[in-house]
Amino acid sequence: MKNAKCRKSFAMLLSAAMCLSMTAGAAVNAEEADASKNDTLVAASNHFENKFSPFFVAAVDDQNVVDLTQLTLISTDRVGALVYNGIEGETRSYNGTDYTYYGPANVEVTENEDGTVYYDFTLREDLVFSDGTPIDIDDVIFSMYVVCDPTYDGSATLYSQPILGLDAYRSGMATLSSLLAAAGEENTDFSLWTEEQQTAFWDAVNDGGTAFAQEIVDYMVANGGVAEGDVAAAAEGWAFPGLAEDATAKDFFLAIGDAYEWNFSSMEAETAGSALADLIPEDVYNYATVGVETGDSVDYIEGIQKTGDYSMRVVATEVAANMGYQLAVEIAPLHYYGDEALYDYDNHQFGFEKGDLSIVREKTTQPLGAGAYTFKEFSNGTVYLEANPNYMMGEPKIKNLNFLETLEDDKTNGVVAGTIDIGDPSYSSEVRSQITEANGGDDTLDGENITIKLYDFRGYGYLAMSADNVNVGGDPASEASKNLRKAIATVLAVYRDEAIDSYYGDTASVINYPISSTSWAAPQVTDDGYQVAFSVDVNGNPIYTEGMSAEEKYAAALEAALGYFEAAGYTVEDGKLTAAPEGAKLNYQVNIGANGSGDHPSFLLLKNAADAFASIGFTLNVNDISTASELYQTYQSGVAEIWAAAWQSTPDPDMYQVYHSAGSTNYYCIDDADLDELIVAARMSTDQTYRKGLYKAAMDVVLDWAVEVPVYQRCECYIFSTERVNVDTITKDMTPYWSWMAEVETLELN
């Protein structure tokens, strides 16, 4: 009995001890959970494609993950300008404040007398990847060779730059898909591929490829006003003009393939719903990444030269103004993305077999780099990142950072509810109302629940005129034609303030030059020669005086327009137009994609301008188009006279494609030798100050042609939980090129 009693007592004691242990354990786990929550920042994202590779990233949200896990060879500042002295840092002023920018390397650019350009890089010698592996110049060279490989199909375009020996390296090899397409369906030469491969390719084209194109045709029939079965018209509306009248969906798909050099991944951009990858077999889809030797080629790029363990030189055969941006490659770890056994610089081996990037593609969903954070996993719509203790700017103060896929409508509510700490809702008056309501309804944007940071969007809205369709006597370049367009532009310009304020409130501003205000090349109000767009009369005198009311400005603009009309050859009697000169009209149409309901920033502008024009005998017919594709078709096909649209800009403000006479998107039909010369000259220099002056002169020419009326620069925003985030540590003066992630290492939680 005694032993039994002892055993019972022991069991009771053990049970009590276990209960105490479990209680203590639960408390510890709860504390750990709270600690984890208190050291985790949650940021909203839209949708991930699970392509987090520095080489093959495509989606914006995936790019955010790449930006935080990788290190870029050349960094940029708040206006997207390159930082050439990253090691020591460069101090530049923005919005009246000096900021210092750092990077992993210095680059010295030398323009030589023979026209060649040297880019000499010196890498910091103390850098390591997040796994502790030291970084040296071989990692940079490996990264450059990946994006220059003949089978590379990512978004980087370094291979398009004039690097010495690059063409020779890429020649003699092509992708299997492009070769099969060029050979044709009836080819009988199987020396470079098998008959089975050829059959599989054309079966895929005839089946899934044709279905892909037919889906576009069906969309255009349903939404673009295209007649049933008119493939050529559908293709033209989809920006693929020139197909024969009896073209088939297969012909359309072949045209798409040719446009993208049969890179199936890139062709996905033309989808009207279905993914091409879901319509053709996986092995055929991969033909676009299979390299086939077609002739002699060299096994190295002469212009990529290793000069030391931490230095290299890139030789360009000519000046290319945007080459610096293309050289800003991600420094990817050779030991992870490549094969060190296949790297021997002296023997022309660069970490993989030329034409075979399979080893690089294997790591697409599992990135490793030297950025501020390391990648842990992507699961159930969330990307989990952890602070990198080896980051060159210092270990981030917030240990964990999660990107959570979030619906647009939930981004603001999520911050209020505490499920996310940082959101990026598309800024609008509705979002503003949500924020002010969350902050107590006192019309404050920074309150107890939400702190908002606005920044200018990387692009701008404008009104355009086709010089070919709005001119006098069939001469788009004549002074009379310019005066006609200036007459129209002057009235359009004066109504910008009211329209933009009505549509956007304080979330957008009127701009005066055809360039996003986020660009380093954008003229500033304090610059010499800065002028409000279309604010002088035909004699060059100011139209407006200080203190004028809005109504007085409207009247003055109309009077100035009459002067321009008269100088263009119009007959003006008693303040009204009574006759147009040869080749011109008393009425023009402006197309605007306002959903058929007037929902567009420039709609009120056009309505008010039309009313004003009517009072002087001129008709501006405002055509509200409900579908965007139909609007695009009107000006891309050259039919439109006047239209409203928007551009999205890049860090380099190259004007060639849009304004050069040979530019592929010169929908304005502007053809000016002086303008062409300015644009080309700006391309042929690496001096940013010099280029800015050239671009200002070029923009003045565009405005003199009066083919574009700059209208607005709208804002976007980031919103932060005031309760959770230490708002004093949020990045100052954010821009499209410098978000909160640019200084994420200094961000703190409360």
Side-chain angles (χ1 to χ4, degrees):
M1 292 292 296
K2 185 176 180 181
N3 290 337
K5 188 183 262 188
C6 287
R7 285 195 300 271
K8 183 177 180 181
S9 298
F10 177 76
M12 292 176 64
L13 289 172
L14 181 61
S15 176
M18 289 177 65
C19 288
L20 287 172
S21 176
M22 290 173 64
T23 302
V28 169
N29 290 337
E31 290 177 3
E32 289 178 349
D34 287 340
S36 176
K37 182 177 180 181
N38 290 333
D39 206 7
T40 300
L41 178 77
V42 181
S45 288
N46 294 313
H47 175 70
F48 295 110
E49 292 184 352
N50 199 19
K51 294 181 180 180
F52 306 124
S53 164
F55 301 112
F56 299 108
V57 63
V60 172
D61 292 290
D62 290 36
Q63 183 65 58
N64 288 337
V65 176
V66 170
D67 290 343
L68 287 177
T69 57
Q70 306 296 324
L71 205 57
T72 305
L73 182 61
I74 309 176
S75 58
T76 57
D77 63 13
R78 281 173 167 78
V79 293
L82 296 170
V83 177
Y84 290 104
N85 298 297
I87 297 177
E88 299 82 5
E90 292 188 28
T91 301
R92 299 173 181 175
S93 179
Y94 179 82
N95 203 21
T97 302
D98 286 343
Y99 295 101
T100 302
Y101 303 91
Y102 296 93
N106 289 346
V107 54
E108 182 179 352
V109 183
T110 305
E111 296 184 29
N112 303 307
E113 292 184 2
D114 63 357
T116 61
V117 183
Y118 292 162
Y119 293 84
D120 288 300
F121 291 92
T122 302
L123 197 64
R124 272 179 53 169
E125 299 184 14
D126 60 342
L127 300 176
V128 296
F129 291 108
S130 60
D131 64 356
T133 303
I135 299 174
D136 60 27
I137 209 66
D138 290 328
D139 296 296
V140 178
I141 293 174
F142 159 74
S143 300
M144 288 186 177
Y145 268 89
V146 170
V147 298
C148 288
D149 190 79
T151 66
Y152 174 72
D153 62 346
S155 59
T157 56
L158 181 62
Y159 60 80
S160 67
Q161 296 301 306
I163 297 175
L164 180 65
L166 180 55
D167 288 342
Y169 178 75
R170 288 173 58 84
S171 66
M173 177 176 284
T175 61
L176 179 56
S177 59
S178 66
L179 291 172
L180 286 166
E185 198 164 358
E186 304 303 323
N187 169 68
T188 57
D189 179 3
F190 302 110
S191 58
L192 297 179
W193 56 82
T194 67
E195 185 174 2
E196 289 74 20
Q197 288 175 315
Q198 178 171 299
T199 299
F201 176 82
W202 286 105
D203 284 348
V205 168
N206 292 322
D207 184 11
T210 299
F212 183 80
Q214 185 62 51
E215 194 171 66
I216 299 173
V217 175
D218 294 342
Y219 177 89
M220 293 301 292
V221 170
N223 302 284
V226 172
E228 185 77 36
D230 194 344
V231 174
E236 184 170 359
W238 205 260
F240 283 86
L243 265 63
E245 290 185 7
D246 60 348
T248 64
K250 177 180 177 179
D251 295 327
F252 187 8
F253 184 72
L254 294 177
I256 295 173
D258 289 341
Y260 288 94
E261 298 180 339
W262 289 92
N263 183 319
F264 292 128
S265 177
S266 298
M267 291 164 67
E268 298 281 11
E270 300 299 335
T271 180
S274 298
L276 186 56
D278 294 333
L279 298 175
I280 64 177
E282 183 179 1
D283 59 337
V284 175
Y285 194 88
N286 291 334
Y287 286 178
T289 64
V290 175
V292 178
E293 292 188 13
T294 59
D296 294 333
S297 67
V298 297
D299 58 359
Y300 76 108
I301 302 170
E302 186 179 353
I304 296 181
Q305 304 170 357
K306 180 177 180 179
T307 57
D309 290 340
Y310 297 94
S311 63
M312 66 178 295
R313 168 177 287 178
V314 176
V315 181
T317 57
E318 62 185 45
V319 174
N322 67 338
M323 185 164 169
Y325 290 96
Q326 300 301 323
L327 287 170
V329 297
E330 310 286 0
I331 307 175
L334 164 63
H335 72 278
Y336 180 74
Y337 285 101
D339 183 345
E340 290 183 292
L342 294 177
Y343 189 92
D344 185 339
Y345 176 82
D346 293 331
N347 289 302
H348 302 166
Q349 292 182 301
F350 303 103
F352 59 94
E353 295 290 348
K354 179 182 176 182
D356 182 5
L357 296 179
S358 57
I359 188 174
V360 182
R361 297 178 194 277
E362 290 172 0
K363 313 296 196 314
T364 295
T365 62
Q366 297 289 323
L368 188 148
Y373 281 82
T374 62
F375 179 86
K376 305 304 291 183
E377 67 172 326
F378 171 48
S379 175
N380 298 321
T382 301
V383 171
Y384 297 89
L385 305 177
E386 186 175 325
N388 175 15
N390 297 317
Y391 182 47
M392 61 170 280
M393 298 301 294
E395 182 176 2
K397 295 182 178 180
I398 300 175
K399 182 178 180 180
N400 303 298
L401 195 162
N402 298 345
F403 282 111
L404 174 66
E405 289 184 341
T406 309
L407 296 175
E408 180 66 28
D409 292 342
D410 293 335
K411 289 180 179 178
T412 304
N413 294 331
V415 173
V416 175
T419 56
I420 57 176
D421 303 313
I422 302 177
D424 60 340
S426 181
Y427 197 43
S428 64
S429 56
E430 181 181 354
V431 169
R432 178 191 172 95
S433 297
Q434 288 180 299
I435 293 171
T436 55
E437 182 179 349
N439 285 334
D442 57 356
D443 201 33
T444 179
L445 289 177
D446 290 343
E448 61 182 11
N449 288 313
I450 294 179
T451 295
I452 184 170
K453 299 297 181 182
L454 298 175
Y455 64 91
D456 286 336
F457 176 70
R458 187 167 53 88
Y460 69 97
Y462 65 92
L463 295 169
M465 288 182 244
S466 166
D468 282 354
N469 297 332
V470 184
N471 64 64
V472 176
D475 183 0
S478 69
E479 284 303 311
S481 295
K482 292 179 181 178
N483 285 330
L484 164 57
R485 295 191 293 268
K486 286 176 183 176
I488 299 172
T490 298
V491 177
L492 296 176
V494 76
Y495 287 104
R496 295 176 300 169
D497 289 313
E498 179 185 5
I500 299 311
D501 182 64
S502 173
Y503 193 89
Y504 281 117
D506 62 355
T507 68
S509 57
V510 170
I511 59 174
N512 292 302
Y513 288 87
I515 188 173
S516 171
S517 59
T518 63
S519 173
W520 55 261
Q524 304 299 309
V525 176
T526 54
D527 291 349
D528 291 338
Y530 184 93
Q531 191 173 63
V532 173
F534 304 106
S535 62
V536 297
D537 64 20
V538 70
N539 298 312
N541 300 314
I543 299 174
Y544 314 110
T545 58
E546 189 175 351
M548 269 188 172
S549 67
E551 292 302 322
E552 289 172 334
K553 287 183 177 180
Y554 301 151
L558 207 57
E559 185 66 28
L562 282 170
Y564 278 118
F565 276 125
E566 191 167 27
Y570 281 74
T571 301
V572 180
E573 296 178 357
D574 298 326
K576 290 195 174 183
L577 306 178
T578 59
E582 182 183 356
K585 302 186 298 181
L586 286 169
N587 61 85
Y588 286 92
Q589 177 169 293
V590 54
N591 296 329
I592 182 170
N595 299 318
S597 60
D599 184 15
H600 191 283
S602 293
F603 187 81
L604 179 61
L605 181 167
L606 295 175
K607 180 179 179 298
N608 289 338
D611 291 343
F613 278 129
S615 70
I616 62 170
F618 183 84
T619 300
L620 183 68
N621 177 31
V622 181
N623 180 29
D624 186 351
I625 299 175
S626 59
T627 57
S629 59
E630 185 178 347
L631 171 67
Y632 302 154
Q633 181 184 5
T634 64
Y635 63 79
Q636 291 176 357
S637 63
V639 174
E641 296 172 333
I642 311 172
W643 65 92
W647 287 119
Q648 184 162 328
S649 56
T650 59
D652 188 82
D654 182 22
M655 299 173 68
Y656 189 94
Q657 298 299 334
V658 179
Y659 301 106
H660 192 280
S661 60
S664 61
T665 55
N666 179 8
Y667 304 128
Y668 311 101
C669 302
I670 186 170
D671 188 351
D672 188 295
D674 291 337
L675 177 60
D676 287 352
E677 184 177 344
L678 288 167
I679 292 172
V680 171
R683 275 188 153 194
M684 300 304 293
S685 174
T686 58
D687 186 326
Q688 182 173 297
T689 302
Y690 174 65
R691 294 183 71 204
K692 182 174 181 177
L694 291 175
Y695 285 132
K696 170 60 167 61
M699 285 184 273
D700 287 340
V701 174
V702 173
L703 292 171
D704 182 56
W705 271 67
V707 291
E708 182 176 341
V709 180
V711 180
Y712 65 92
Q713 171 81 61
R714 69 177 177 85
C715 289
E716 284 291 2
C717 73
Y718 289 110
I719 58 175
F720 300 81
S721 168
T722 309
E723 180 183 0
R724 290 267 297 137
V725 178
N726 182 348
V727 296
D728 293 332
T729 64
I730 297 173
T731 301
K732 306 296 189 296
D733 284 329
M734 284 188 279
T735 74
Y737 309 108
W738 199 262
S739 74
W740 62 270
M741 289 175 278
E743 299 176 19
V744 68
E745 72 278 0
T746 65
L747 193 63
E748 298 177 1
L749 293 173
N750 287 324

